Amino acid sequence: MTGAERLVAACRSRPVDASPVWFMRQSGGSLPAYQRLRANHTVLDIVHRPALAAEVALEAQRALGTDGAVLFADIMLPVSAMGIELELPSSGPRIERPIRTADDIDRLRPVDVAADLGFVLEAVRLVRRGAGDAAAVIGLAGGPFTVAAYCIEGGPSRDQLTARRFALAQPQAWARLMDHITDVTCSYVQAQVVAGAQVVQLFDSWAGILSPSDYAAWAAPWSRRILRAIRSSGVPAIHFVAQGATLLERLAVDADVVSIDAAQPFGTARERLGAVAVQGNLDPARIGASHEVASGAVDELLIANAGRPGHVVNTGHAVPADTPTSRLADLVAMVHDRTAMALPAQTGANA
Amino acid sequence: MTGAERLVAACRSRPVDASPVWFMRQSGGSLPAYQRLRANHTVLDIVHRPALAAEVALEAQRALGTDGAVLFADIMLPVSAMGIELELPSSGPRIERPIRTADDIDRLRPVDVAADLGFVLEAVRLVRRGAGDAAAVIGLAGGPFTVAAYCIEGGPSRDQLTARRFALAQPQAWARLMDHITDVTCSYVQAQVVAGAQVVQLFDSWAGILSPSDYAAWAAPWSRRILRAIRSSGVPAIHFVAQGATLLERLAVDADVVSIDAAQPFGTARERLGAVAVQGNLDPARIGASHEVASGAVDELLIANAGRPGHVVNTGHAVPADTPTSRLADLVAMVHDRTAMALPAQTGANA
């Protein structure tokens, strides 16, 4: 199987010749060509220049040997296209004038994805061309709760209190903001698929702060629309929420794969998710620690999965930028090696 | 029953004439005398002057009518006594020179609680004298994982990655740091009880980032020592961890009360905790929203508890500083009113 086939098949819980591997935020980090680029360009610069963004994604895929090539983009690009001014320091997006009133929402611009976010679509096309069959192109979009919360908080926050107070105090304005973000995101993910994305991950990093009932009221209806848009365009949808243990079953609705964080025991999560495919759970702290600790963590994960189909190997959160490239490459090879198995149609070919 | 009796009895899952109430970070906030103090004093100033710190705690208890008067202090005071220089901006403690090596740990000073933290103990004495029977004095200490992680991170962090990498890379140095923090904290909580604290809450705010197995290896043995020190000094121990859903059963070991955050459904948490008393779960965003939303949230909580003993009404996280005092006072009166019941010995007295 090619890397692209392997990743897509595992997302669909179909048989694979080995478990596919990729790492959240694998594109960039300590890779030499990326570091050279960063000497002269901001992250936003690179993101806006398709040739550079594609090169970052392709460099990472080639250096690590992952089964996915991850689009180098930021989840806040669609709201930037709505007219929200954005900076991208390493601590996370910063918005100078966050949304605070219903009027702020009414002032958001409509977005023409092809025109306003064409640079992302062009990057997707270039990554697809460059990756060939070696890896599936992984498109991405921010979860609507996380994007809306960012717009209201203006920057990273531990509890999204300002956003949650906004949702409570102005439920209609909240729904309008979520509708707008969701409409744009649906077009955006579908355009990414048309441009060549073979899998799309929805990053709803902050939704784990919500209780199951708040999640159902303030996030799920919109997230599900986006997940359905991804699937109806013909590719599998991966759903990621950090610290999402209390929401697990809800995250699985309309998703092909649920990405679980490093704080939940893998076995329990697998059981709760039933037939839905699982990704993640590797602890980025362990991946960065040493070869022994990292490969021990991978071993433990593979043992916990016990060969069940529908398994995408990944970290539970973004890999830190200082993780050695050789470490990640070794882990990819290790996973492919340990999980290699004969497919029914090609007896013994990869065993 | 007096407020002090009510809170202590509920913590011990004994019968009460009404459910006790207090709010995390109730001391301070928007209270007028506190705001006047803050015009001329930093938070650290106030904390270091027992008469001022006690007045802040007492003003809040009187204005809100809570069954607890909460010590106005910071969880980082013990490490400040170890020689770690500390600032306390509103975003949370900042350490200019965080711990990064085993040598940094060896340089930490021993702490003589009576001498080095005598100002806290004096504040406890003054709060006890001022509160009389109206409210139990609630002492506090930081959970050893959170305090150690703060020392290594140097400030607030979403994932405590630097601290977790330290624990993995230098397990013996980590254990030495945890031992030192725990030794000092055990003496500190016991001295608070001698000075008049009638309940002590261990704030391990950040431990929820840990998987159950990492929690067992890197935090639980030390936290349990402190919880046992609180209980062996004769008062109930409340154990608080934010986003702690996956750890719930472990948090209950050696604790009288587990404080649960606002993201977990109350009923599920109650079931998992069995006979252990429960605190928390009210959403600070709702408490701040409006009288209707806040009292609706309290109603829902009381219905979910269904009159079971061992229930302390509180928010799941700190109340935001801008929450109106009158709102909190109304909620306290409402809880006392709705949960009032006859005790076996005083038939009909409060029903």
Side-chain angles (χ1 to χ4, degrees), chain B residues 7-77:
Chain B
L7 180 54
V8 172
C11 288
R12 297 202 184 284
S13 298
R14 292 183 186 149
V16 286
D17 62 348
S19 294
V21 196
W22 66 284
F23 300 103
M24 279 190 262
R25 213 177 290 157
Q26 69 180 34
S27 302
S30 60
L31 287 157
Y34 176 69
Q35 283 304 319
R36 278 197 301 278
L37 264 183
R38 286 288 282 115
N40 301 307
H41 299 276
T42 66
V43 170
L44 264 183
D45 267 353
I46 299 172
V47 162
H48 278 94
R49 296 166 73 163
L52 301 184
E55 188 42 42
V56 172
L58 289 166
E59 180 199 22
Q61 190 281 325
R62 287 183 201 121
L64 308 181
T66 46
D67 300 293
V70 191
L71 182 61
F72 187 75
D74 189 86
I75 62 164
M76 295 298 281
L77 294 176

Side-chain angles (χ1 to χ4, degrees), chain A residues 194-224:
Chain A
V194 170
Q198 291 149 293
V199 177
V200 177
Q201 176 155 320
L202 191 65
F203 284 84
D204 211 359
S205 319
W206 288 3
I209 196 68
L210 299 175
S211 68
S213 55
D214 283 349
Y215 182 77
W218 296 344
W222 293 276
S223 291
R224 290 180 57 187

Side-chain angles (χ1 to χ4, degrees), chain A residues 164-165 214 283 286 322, chain B residues 164-165 214 283 286 322:
Chain A
R164 295 189 297 116
R165 290 170 98 163
D214 283 349
D283 177 8
R286 286 186 162 73
D322 62 358
Chain B
R164 295 189 297 115
R165 290 171 98 164
D214 283 349
D283 177 8
R286 286 186 162 73
D322 63 358

Side-chain angles (χ1 to χ4, degrees), chain A residues 76 83 92 96 113 123 187 190 220 284 320 349:
Chain A
M76 296 298 281
E96 182 121 355
V113 168
S187 306
Q190 288 176 320

Side-chain angles (χ1 to χ4, degrees), chain A residues 75-143:
Chain A
I75 63 164
M76 296 298 281
L77 293 176
V79 295
S80 161
M82 293 175 196
I84 290 186
E85 272 180 57
L86 198 66
E87 283 176 76
L88 286 183
S90 61
S91 54
R94 287 272 165 198
I95 295 165
E96 182 121 355
R97 277 164 302 179
I99 288 176
R100 288 294 149 85
T101 67
D103 284 352
D104 292 339
I105 294 168
D106 296 333
R107 272 194 293 271
L108 292 174
R109 290 203 299 254
V111 174
D112 173 343
V113 168
D116 300 335
L117 295 162
F119 56 97
V120 178
L121 306 177
E122 179 59 16
V124 172
R125 278 186 285 269
L126 295 175
V127 177
R128 177 68 181 266
R129 198 176 309 153
D133 293 332
V137 178
I138 303 174
L140 62 88

Side-chain angles (χ1 to χ4, degrees), chain B residues 173-260:
Chain B
W174 174 262
R176 224 154 59 234
L177 176 60
M178 291 291 279
D179 280 341
H180 189 34
I181 291 169
T182 300
D183 290 344
V184 172
T185 306
C186 286
S187 307
Y188 183 50
V189 295
Q190 289 177 319
Q192 288 183 36
V193 174
V194 170
Q198 291 149 294
V199 178
V200 177
Q201 177 156 318
L202 191 65
F203 285 84
D204 211 359
S205 319
W206 288 4
I209 196 69
L210 298 175
S211 68
S213 55
D214 283 349
Y215 181 76
W218 296 344
W222 294 275
S223 291
R224 290 181 56 188
R225 270 183 55 202
I226 300 170
L227 292 167
R228 288 196 299 262
I230 296 168
R231 298 176 89 176
S232 72
S233 66
V235 307
I238 306 177
H239 199 183
F240 168 79
V241 168
Q243 299 281 90
T246 54
L247 304 177
L248 216 50
E249 292 81 0
R250 284 168 205 263
L251 303 182
V253 180
D254 291 323
D256 296 285
V257 186
V258 173
S259 194
I260 62 173

Side-chain angles (χ1 to χ4, degrees), chain A residues 172-202:
Chain A
Q172 289 171 329
W174 174 262
R176 224 157 56 237
L177 176 59
M178 291 291 279
D179 280 340
H180 189 34
I181 290 169
T182 301
D183 289 345
V184 173
T185 307
C186 286
S187 306
Y188 184 49
V189 294
Q190 288 176 320
Q192 288 182 36
V193 174
V194 170
Q198 291 149 293
V199 177
V200 177
Q201 176 155 320
L202 191 65

